[in-house]
Amino acid sequence: MPPEPIETPCIRVCEMDAAAGICVGCGRTLDEIARWGSMSRAERRGVMASLAERMAQRLPLRTPG
């Protein structure tokens, strides 16, 4: 039986917001991205539960204008 696929918040918009320290696409930190494949399912779900709030608090990279 093939292994179960790993859940990921990645949307393939991989650009780091240096000020916030998170990816503008998924909201994860570089450390979380690097460790993602070795995290337990519970650890990944814990990170994923915090992403919406992180993204909401992140300042926009560019201002409209």
Short mmCIF file of all heavy atoms in Angstrom, two decimals:
data_model
loop_
_atom_site.label_atom_id
_atom_site.label_comp_id
_atom_site.label_asym_id
_atom_site.label_seq_id
_atom_site.Cartn_x
_atom_site.Cartn_y
_atom_site.Cartn_z
N MET A 1 0.85 -1.17 0.00
CA MET A 1 0.00 0.00 0.00
C MET A 1 0.91 1.25 0.00
O MET A 1 1.83 1.35 0.80
CB MET A 1 -0.88 -0.04 1.24
CG MET A 1 -1.79 1.14 1.38
SD MET A 1 -2.88 1.01 2.82
CE MET A 1 -4.34 0.40 2.03
N PRO A 2 0.64 2.22 -0.87
CA PRO A 2 1.47 3.43 -0.93
C PRO A 2 1.28 4.27 0.33
O PRO A 2 0.22 4.25 0.94
CB PRO A 2 0.97 4.17 -2.17
CG PRO A 2 -0.37 3.62 -2.46
CD PRO A 2 -0.42 2.23 -1.87
N PRO A 3 2.32 5.03 0.70
CA PRO A 3 2.19 5.89 1.89
C PRO A 3 1.14 6.98 1.67
O PRO A 3 0.89 7.40 0.54
CB PRO A 3 3.58 6.50 2.05
CG PRO A 3 4.24 6.34 0.73
CD PRO A 3 3.60 5.17 0.05
N GLU A 4 0.53 7.39 2.76
CA GLU A 4 -0.46 8.45 2.71
C GLU A 4 0.22 9.76 2.36
O GLU A 4 1.28 10.09 2.89
CB GLU A 4 -1.14 8.57 4.07
CG GLU A 4 -2.30 9.53 4.10
CD GLU A 4 -3.01 9.51 5.44
OE1 GLU A 4 -3.18 8.43 6.02
OE2 GLU A 4 -3.36 10.60 5.90
N PRO A 5 -0.34 10.56 1.44
CA PRO A 5 0.28 11.84 1.10
C PRO A 5 0.32 12.78 2.31
O PRO A 5 -0.56 12.75 3.16
CB PRO A 5 -0.61 12.42 -0.01
CG PRO A 5 -1.77 11.52 -0.14
CD PRO A 5 -1.57 10.33 0.73
N ILE A 6 1.34 13.60 2.35
CA ILE A 6 1.50 14.56 3.45
C ILE A 6 0.68 15.81 3.14
O ILE A 6 0.80 16.39 2.06
CB ILE A 6 2.99 14.92 3.63
CG1 ILE A 6 3.78 13.70 4.08
CG2 ILE A 6 3.15 16.06 4.63
CD1 ILE A 6 5.27 13.93 4.18
N GLU A 7 -0.16 16.20 4.09
CA GLU A 7 -0.92 17.44 3.93
C GLU A 7 0.05 18.61 3.92
O GLU A 7 1.03 18.62 4.65
CB GLU A 7 -1.87 17.63 5.11
CG GLU A 7 -2.97 16.62 5.22
CD GLU A 7 -3.78 16.84 6.48
OE1 GLU A 7 -3.26 16.54 7.56
OE2 GLU A 7 -4.91 17.33 6.35
N THR A 8 -0.25 19.60 3.10
CA THR A 8 0.60 20.78 3.03
C THR A 8 -0.23 22.01 2.69
O THR A 8 -1.16 21.93 1.90
CB THR A 8 1.73 20.61 2.00
OG1 THR A 8 2.52 21.80 1.97
CG2 THR A 8 1.22 20.32 0.61
N PRO A 9 0.12 23.15 3.29
CA PRO A 9 -0.57 24.39 2.96
C PRO A 9 0.06 25.09 1.74
O PRO A 9 -0.39 26.16 1.34
CB PRO A 9 -0.39 25.23 4.22
CG PRO A 9 0.93 24.79 4.75
CD PRO A 9 1.01 23.31 4.44
N CYS A 10 1.08 24.49 1.17
CA CYS A 10 1.80 25.11 0.06
C CYS A 10 0.88 25.35 -1.14
O CYS A 10 0.16 24.45 -1.56
CB CYS A 10 2.98 24.23 -0.36
SG CYS A 10 3.96 24.96 -1.70
N ILE A 11 0.93 26.58 -1.66
CA ILE A 11 0.17 26.90 -2.87
C ILE A 11 1.11 27.28 -4.01
O ILE A 11 0.71 27.88 -4.99
CB ILE A 11 -0.86 28.03 -2.60
CG1 ILE A 11 -0.16 29.31 -2.14
CG2 ILE A 11 -1.92 27.57 -1.61
CD1 ILE A 11 -1.05 30.53 -2.13
N ARG A 12 2.39 26.95 -3.84
CA ARG A 12 3.43 27.19 -4.84
C ARG A 12 3.64 28.66 -5.18
O ARG A 12 3.90 29.02 -6.31
CB ARG A 12 3.18 26.34 -6.08
CG ARG A 12 3.24 24.87 -5.73
CD ARG A 12 3.13 24.00 -6.91
NE ARG A 12 3.17 22.62 -6.42
CZ ARG A 12 3.16 21.59 -7.18
NH1 ARG A 12 3.11 21.73 -8.48
NH2 ARG A 12 3.20 20.38 -6.67
N VAL A 13 3.47 29.49 -4.17
CA VAL A 13 3.82 30.90 -4.24
C VAL A 13 4.89 31.08 -3.17
O VAL A 13 4.61 31.49 -2.06
CB VAL A 13 2.60 31.81 -3.96
CG1 VAL A 13 3.01 33.29 -3.97
CG2 VAL A 13 1.50 31.56 -4.97
N CYS A 14 6.09 30.68 -3.51
CA CYS A 14 7.17 30.59 -2.53
C CYS A 14 8.02 31.85 -2.54
O CYS A 14 8.94 32.00 -3.34
CB CYS A 14 8.03 29.36 -2.82
SG CYS A 14 7.07 27.84 -2.86
N GLU A 15 7.66 32.76 -1.65
CA GLU A 15 8.37 34.04 -1.51
C GLU A 15 8.34 34.40 -0.04
O GLU A 15 7.26 34.41 0.57
CB GLU A 15 7.67 35.11 -2.34
CG GLU A 15 8.32 36.46 -2.27
CD GLU A 15 7.56 37.49 -3.10
OE1 GLU A 15 6.85 37.14 -4.05
OE2 GLU A 15 7.69 38.68 -2.77
N MET A 16 9.49 34.65 0.53
CA MET A 16 9.54 34.96 1.96
C MET A 16 9.32 36.45 2.20
O MET A 16 9.87 37.28 1.50
CB MET A 16 10.88 34.54 2.55
CG MET A 16 11.11 33.04 2.56
SD MET A 16 9.83 32.08 3.41
CE MET A 16 10.10 32.54 5.10
N ASP A 17 8.49 36.75 3.17
CA ASP A 17 8.31 38.10 3.67
C ASP A 17 9.35 38.27 4.77
O ASP A 17 9.19 37.74 5.88
CB ASP A 17 6.89 38.26 4.22
CG ASP A 17 6.62 39.64 4.82
OD1 ASP A 17 7.59 40.35 5.17
OD2 ASP A 17 5.44 39.99 4.93
N ALA A 18 10.43 38.97 4.48
CA ALA A 18 11.54 39.09 5.43
C ALA A 18 11.12 39.77 6.73
O ALA A 18 11.57 39.39 7.81
CB ALA A 18 12.70 39.85 4.79
N ALA A 19 10.24 40.74 6.64
CA ALA A 19 9.80 41.46 7.84
C ALA A 19 8.99 40.55 8.77
O ALA A 19 9.16 40.59 9.98
CB ALA A 19 8.98 42.69 7.45
N ALA A 20 8.12 39.75 8.20
CA ALA A 20 7.28 38.86 9.00
C ALA A 20 7.94 37.51 9.27
O ALA A 20 7.56 36.81 10.19
CB ALA A 20 5.94 38.65 8.30
N GLY A 21 8.90 37.13 8.43
CA GLY A 21 9.59 35.86 8.60
C GLY A 21 8.78 34.66 8.16
O GLY A 21 9.02 33.55 8.63
N ILE A 22 7.80 34.90 7.28
CA ILE A 22 6.96 33.80 6.79
C ILE A 22 6.82 33.84 5.28
O ILE A 22 7.03 34.89 4.65
CB ILE A 22 5.55 33.81 7.44
CG1 ILE A 22 4.79 35.10 7.08
CG2 ILE A 22 5.64 33.60 8.94
CD1 ILE A 22 3.34 35.11 7.54
N CYS A 23 6.45 32.72 4.71
CA CYS A 23 6.20 32.63 3.28
C CYS A 23 4.89 33.36 2.96
O CYS A 23 3.90 33.17 3.65
CB CYS A 23 6.10 31.16 2.87
SG CYS A 23 5.60 30.91 1.15
N VAL A 24 4.89 34.19 1.92
CA VAL A 24 3.68 34.93 1.57
C VAL A 24 2.61 34.02 0.99
O VAL A 24 1.44 34.36 0.97
CB VAL A 24 3.96 36.11 0.60
CG1 VAL A 24 4.92 37.10 1.22
CG2 VAL A 24 4.46 35.63 -0.74
N GLY A 25 2.99 32.85 0.51
CA GLY A 25 2.03 31.91 -0.06
C GLY A 25 1.33 31.06 0.99
O GLY A 25 0.12 30.91 0.97
N CYS A 26 2.11 30.48 1.91
CA CYS A 26 1.52 29.52 2.85
C CYS A 26 1.56 29.96 4.30
O CYS A 26 0.86 29.38 5.13
CB CYS A 26 2.21 28.16 2.71
SG CYS A 26 3.93 28.12 3.28
N GLY A 27 2.39 30.93 4.64
CA GLY A 27 2.45 31.42 6.01
C GLY A 27 3.42 30.70 6.92
O GLY A 27 3.53 31.03 8.09
N ARG A 28 4.13 29.70 6.40
CA ARG A 28 5.08 28.96 7.24
C ARG A 28 6.42 29.68 7.32
O ARG A 28 6.79 30.42 6.43
CB ARG A 28 5.31 27.55 6.69
CG ARG A 28 4.09 26.67 6.75
CD ARG A 28 4.35 25.30 6.17
NE ARG A 28 4.57 25.40 4.72
CZ ARG A 28 4.97 24.40 3.96
NH1 ARG A 28 5.23 23.21 4.49
NH2 ARG A 28 5.13 24.57 2.67
N THR A 29 7.15 29.40 8.40
CA THR A 29 8.51 29.91 8.54
C THR A 29 9.45 29.02 7.74
O THR A 29 9.09 27.89 7.35
CB THR A 29 8.95 29.90 10.01
OG1 THR A 29 9.03 28.53 10.46
CG2 THR A 29 8.01 30.70 10.90
N LEU A 30 10.67 29.49 7.51
CA LEU A 30 11.66 28.66 6.81
C LEU A 30 11.92 27.37 7.56
O LEU A 30 12.05 26.30 6.95
CB LEU A 30 12.97 29.42 6.62
CG LEU A 30 13.00 30.43 5.47
CD1 LEU A 30 14.31 31.20 5.49
CD2 LEU A 30 12.81 29.74 4.13
N ASP A 31 12.00 27.44 8.88
CA ASP A 31 12.22 26.23 9.68
C ASP A 31 11.08 25.24 9.50
O ASP A 31 11.31 24.04 9.33
CB ASP A 31 12.38 26.60 11.16
CG ASP A 31 12.63 25.39 12.02
OD1 ASP A 31 13.66 24.71 11.81
OD2 ASP A 31 11.79 25.10 12.91
N GLU A 32 9.86 25.72 9.52
CA GLU A 32 8.71 24.83 9.34
C GLU A 32 8.72 24.20 7.95
O GLU A 32 8.42 23.01 7.80
CB GLU A 32 7.40 25.59 9.57
CG GLU A 32 7.19 25.96 11.02
CD GLU A 32 6.11 26.98 11.24
OE1 GLU A 32 5.69 27.68 10.27
OE2 GLU A 32 5.69 27.12 12.40
N ILE A 33 9.04 24.99 6.94
CA ILE A 33 9.11 24.46 5.57
C ILE A 33 10.18 23.37 5.48
O ILE A 33 9.94 22.30 4.93
CB ILE A 33 9.38 25.59 4.56
CG1 ILE A 33 8.18 26.54 4.50
CG2 ILE A 33 9.71 25.03 3.18
CD1 ILE A 33 8.45 27.86 3.78
N ALA A 34 11.34 23.63 6.08
CA ALA A 34 12.45 22.67 6.02
C ALA A 34 12.12 21.37 6.76
O ALA A 34 12.50 20.29 6.32
CB ALA A 34 13.71 23.30 6.61
N ARG A 35 11.42 21.47 7.88
CA ARG A 35 11.12 20.30 8.70
C ARG A 35 9.81 19.61 8.33
O ARG A 35 9.49 18.56 8.88
CB ARG A 35 11.07 20.70 10.18
CG ARG A 35 12.38 21.15 10.74
CD ARG A 35 12.34 21.46 12.25
NE ARG A 35 11.20 22.27 12.69
CZ ARG A 35 10.17 21.79 13.42
NH1 ARG A 35 10.11 20.54 13.78
NH2 ARG A 35 9.19 22.60 13.79
N TRP A 36 9.03 20.18 7.43
CA TRP A 36 7.67 19.72 7.16
C TRP A 36 7.57 18.21 6.93
O TRP A 36 6.72 17.54 7.51
CB TRP A 36 7.10 20.47 5.96
CG TRP A 36 5.61 20.36 5.87
CD1 TRP A 36 4.89 19.60 5.00
CD2 TRP A 36 4.66 21.03 6.69
NE1 TRP A 36 3.55 19.75 5.23
CE2 TRP A 36 3.38 20.63 6.28
CE3 TRP A 36 4.76 21.92 7.74
CZ2 TRP A 36 2.22 21.09 6.87
CZ3 TRP A 36 3.60 22.39 8.34
CH2 TRP A 36 2.35 21.97 7.90
N GLY A 37 8.43 17.66 6.11
CA GLY A 37 8.36 16.23 5.80
C GLY A 37 8.69 15.33 6.97
O GLY A 37 8.26 14.18 7.01
N SER A 38 9.42 15.84 7.95
CA SER A 38 9.78 15.02 9.11
C SER A 38 8.91 15.29 10.33
O SER A 38 9.03 14.61 11.34
CB SER A 38 11.26 15.22 9.47
OG SER A 38 11.50 16.55 9.84
N MET A 39 8.01 16.26 10.23
CA MET A 39 7.09 16.54 11.34
C MET A 39 6.04 15.43 11.43
O MET A 39 5.68 14.82 10.42
CB MET A 39 6.35 17.86 11.12
CG MET A 39 7.13 19.09 11.35
SD MET A 39 6.02 20.51 11.06
CE MET A 39 7.06 21.84 11.54
N SER A 40 5.52 15.24 12.63
CA SER A 40 4.41 14.30 12.80
C SER A 40 3.15 14.95 12.22
O SER A 40 3.09 16.18 12.03
CB SER A 40 4.19 13.99 14.28
OG SER A 40 3.68 15.13 14.95
N ARG A 41 2.15 14.15 11.98
CA ARG A 41 0.88 14.67 11.47
C ARG A 41 0.30 15.70 12.45
O ARG A 41 -0.22 16.74 12.03
CB ARG A 41 -0.09 13.51 11.27
CG ARG A 41 -1.36 13.90 10.60
CD ARG A 41 -2.22 12.70 10.35
NE ARG A 41 -3.19 12.99 9.33
CZ ARG A 41 -4.05 12.14 8.88
NH1 ARG A 41 -4.07 10.91 9.32
NH2 ARG A 41 -4.92 12.50 7.96
N ALA A 42 0.42 15.43 13.74
CA ALA A 42 -0.10 16.35 14.76
C ALA A 42 0.66 17.68 14.72
O ALA A 42 0.05 18.75 14.85
CB ALA A 42 0.00 15.72 16.15
N GLU A 43 1.98 17.63 14.55
CA GLU A 43 2.77 18.87 14.46
C GLU A 43 2.35 19.67 13.22
O GLU A 43 2.17 20.89 13.31
CB GLU A 43 4.26 18.56 14.36
CG GLU A 43 4.88 18.06 15.64
CD GLU A 43 6.31 17.64 15.45
OE1 GLU A 43 6.59 16.80 14.55
OE2 GLU A 43 7.18 18.16 16.18
N ARG A 44 2.20 19.01 12.08
CA ARG A 44 1.79 19.71 10.86
C ARG A 44 0.41 20.34 11.04
O ARG A 44 0.19 21.49 10.65
CB ARG A 44 1.79 18.76 9.66
CG ARG A 44 3.17 18.38 9.20
CD ARG A 44 3.17 17.67 7.87
NE ARG A 44 2.38 16.46 7.86
CZ ARG A 44 2.83 15.25 8.14
NH1 ARG A 44 4.09 15.07 8.47
NH2 ARG A 44 2.02 14.20 8.10
N ARG A 45 -0.50 19.62 11.64
CA ARG A 45 -1.85 20.17 11.85
C ARG A 45 -1.83 21.35 12.82
O ARG A 45 -2.58 22.31 12.66
CB ARG A 45 -2.80 19.09 12.33
CG ARG A 45 -3.12 18.14 11.20
CD ARG A 45 -4.31 17.32 11.46
NE ARG A 45 -4.68 16.62 10.22
CZ ARG A 45 -5.56 15.68 10.17
NH1 ARG A 45 -6.18 15.29 11.26
NH2 ARG A 45 -5.84 15.10 9.02
N GLY A 46 -0.94 21.30 13.80
CA GLY A 46 -0.79 22.43 14.72
C GLY A 46 -0.31 23.67 14.01
O GLY A 46 -0.82 24.77 14.22
N VAL A 47 0.68 23.50 13.13
CA VAL A 47 1.18 24.63 12.34
C VAL A 47 0.06 25.14 11.43
O VAL A 47 -0.20 26.34 11.36
CB VAL A 47 2.42 24.23 11.51
CG1 VAL A 47 2.79 25.32 10.52
CG2 VAL A 47 3.60 23.90 12.42
N MET A 48 -0.62 24.22 10.75
CA MET A 48 -1.67 24.62 9.81
C MET A 48 -2.79 25.37 10.51
O MET A 48 -3.36 26.30 9.94
CB MET A 48 -2.20 23.40 9.05
CG MET A 48 -1.17 22.90 8.05
SD MET A 48 -1.56 21.36 7.19
CE MET A 48 -3.13 21.65 6.49
N ALA A 49 -3.06 25.03 11.77
CA ALA A 49 -4.11 25.72 12.53
C ALA A 49 -3.75 27.18 12.82
O ALA A 49 -4.64 28.01 13.00
CB ALA A 49 -4.39 24.98 13.83
N SER A 50 -2.46 27.50 12.81
CA SER A 50 -2.04 28.87 13.12
C SER A 50 -1.83 29.74 11.88
O SER A 50 -1.63 30.95 12.01
CB SER A 50 -0.74 28.83 13.93
OG SER A 50 0.34 28.39 13.12
N LEU A 51 -1.89 29.15 10.70
CA LEU A 51 -1.52 29.89 9.49
C LEU A 51 -2.47 31.03 9.13
O LEU A 51 -2.02 32.09 8.72
CB LEU A 51 -1.37 28.93 8.31
CG LEU A 51 -0.27 27.88 8.47
CD1 LEU A 51 -0.22 26.97 7.25
CD2 LEU A 51 1.08 28.53 8.70
N ALA A 52 -3.76 30.83 9.27
CA ALA A 52 -4.71 31.90 8.91
C ALA A 52 -4.46 33.16 9.74
O ALA A 52 -4.46 34.27 9.20
CB ALA A 52 -6.14 31.41 9.07
N GLU A 53 -4.23 32.97 11.04
CA GLU A 53 -3.98 34.13 11.90
C GLU A 53 -2.65 34.80 11.54
O GLU A 53 -2.56 36.02 11.49
CB GLU A 53 -3.95 33.71 13.37
CG GLU A 53 -3.79 34.88 14.31
CD GLU A 53 -3.85 34.47 15.77
OE1 GLU A 53 -4.42 33.41 16.07
OE2 GLU A 53 -3.31 35.23 16.59
N ARG A 54 -1.63 34.01 11.26
CA ARG A 54 -0.33 34.57 10.84
C ARG A 54 -0.48 35.42 9.58
O ARG A 54 0.05 36.51 9.49
CB ARG A 54 0.66 33.46 10.50
CG ARG A 54 1.24 32.76 11.64
CD ARG A 54 2.26 31.78 11.11
NE ARG A 54 2.60 30.79 12.10
CZ ARG A 54 3.43 29.81 11.90
NH1 ARG A 54 4.02 29.66 10.73
NH2 ARG A 54 3.69 28.94 12.85
N MET A 55 -1.20 34.86 8.62
CA MET A 55 -1.36 35.55 7.34
C MET A 55 -2.16 36.84 7.53
O MET A 55 -1.89 37.84 6.88
CB MET A 55 -2.01 34.64 6.31
CG MET A 55 -1.16 33.43 5.95
SD MET A 55 0.37 33.83 5.09
CE MET A 55 -0.25 34.06 3.44
N ALA A 56 -3.15 36.82 8.40
CA ALA A 56 -3.97 38.01 8.65
C ALA A 56 -3.16 39.11 9.32
O ALA A 56 -3.40 40.29 9.10
CB ALA A 56 -5.17 37.63 9.51
N GLN A 57 -2.17 38.73 10.14
CA GLN A 57 -1.36 39.72 10.85
C GLN A 57 -0.21 40.24 10.01
O GLN A 57 0.38 41.27 10.34
CB GLN A 57 -0.82 39.10 12.15
CG GLN A 57 -1.89 38.84 13.15
CD GLN A 57 -1.36 38.18 14.42
OE1 GLN A 57 -0.18 37.87 14.53
NE2 GLN A 57 -2.24 37.97 15.38
N ARG A 58 0.12 39.54 8.95
CA ARG A 58 1.26 39.94 8.10
C ARG A 58 0.94 41.25 7.39
O ARG A 58 -0.13 41.44 6.83
CB ARG A 58 1.54 38.86 7.06
CG ARG A 58 2.75 39.13 6.21
CD ARG A 58 2.97 38.01 5.22
NE ARG A 58 2.00 38.00 4.15
CZ ARG A 58 2.06 38.78 3.06
NH1 ARG A 58 3.02 39.64 2.92
NH2 ARG A 58 1.13 38.69 2.14
N LEU A 59 1.89 42.15 7.39
CA LEU A 59 1.73 43.41 6.66
C LEU A 59 1.88 43.15 5.18
O LEU A 59 2.71 42.33 4.78
CB LEU A 59 2.76 44.43 7.12
CG LEU A 59 2.68 44.86 8.57
CD1 LEU A 59 3.86 45.77 8.91
CD2 LEU A 59 1.36 45.56 8.84
N PRO A 60 1.14 43.83 4.33
CA PRO A 60 1.30 43.63 2.89
C PRO A 60 2.71 44.01 2.43
O PRO A 60 3.30 44.97 2.94
CB PRO A 60 0.28 44.56 2.24
CG PRO A 60 -0.45 45.22 3.35
CD PRO A 60 0.15 44.81 4.66
N LEU A 61 3.24 43.25 1.47
CA LEU A 61 4.56 43.55 0.93
C LEU A 61 4.54 44.80 0.07
O LEU A 61 5.48 45.57 0.05
CB LEU A 61 5.06 42.38 0.07
CG LEU A 61 5.49 41.14 0.83
CD1 LEU A 61 5.88 40.05 -0.15
CD2 LEU A 61 6.66 41.45 1.74
N ARG A 62 3.46 45.01 -0.64
CA ARG A 62 3.36 46.14 -1.57
C ARG A 62 2.08 46.91 -1.26
O ARG A 62 1.05 46.32 -0.96
CB ARG A 62 3.31 45.64 -3.01
CG ARG A 62 4.55 44.90 -3.41
CD ARG A 62 4.37 44.23 -4.78
NE ARG A 62 5.46 43.35 -5.06
CZ ARG A 62 5.49 42.07 -4.72
NH1 ARG A 62 4.51 41.52 -4.09
NH2 ARG A 62 6.54 41.32 -5.02
N THR A 63 2.15 48.21 -1.38
CA THR A 63 0.94 49.01 -1.20
C THR A 63 0.36 49.34 -2.57
O THR A 63 1.11 49.62 -3.51
CB THR A 63 1.24 50.31 -0.43
OG1 THR A 63 2.29 51.01 -1.10
CG2 THR A 63 1.63 50.04 0.99
N PRO A 64 -0.96 49.27 -2.70
CA PRO A 64 -1.58 49.59 -3.99
C PRO A 64 -1.31 51.04 -4.35
O PRO A 64 -1.23 51.90 -3.49
CB PRO A 64 -3.06 49.36 -3.75
CG PRO A 64 -3.20 48.72 -2.42
CD PRO A 64 -1.91 48.89 -1.68
N GLY A 65 -1.22 51.28 -5.63
CA GLY A 65 -1.02 52.67 -5.97
C GLY A 65 -0.51 52.82 -7.29
O GLY A 65 -0.28 53.19 -8.23
#
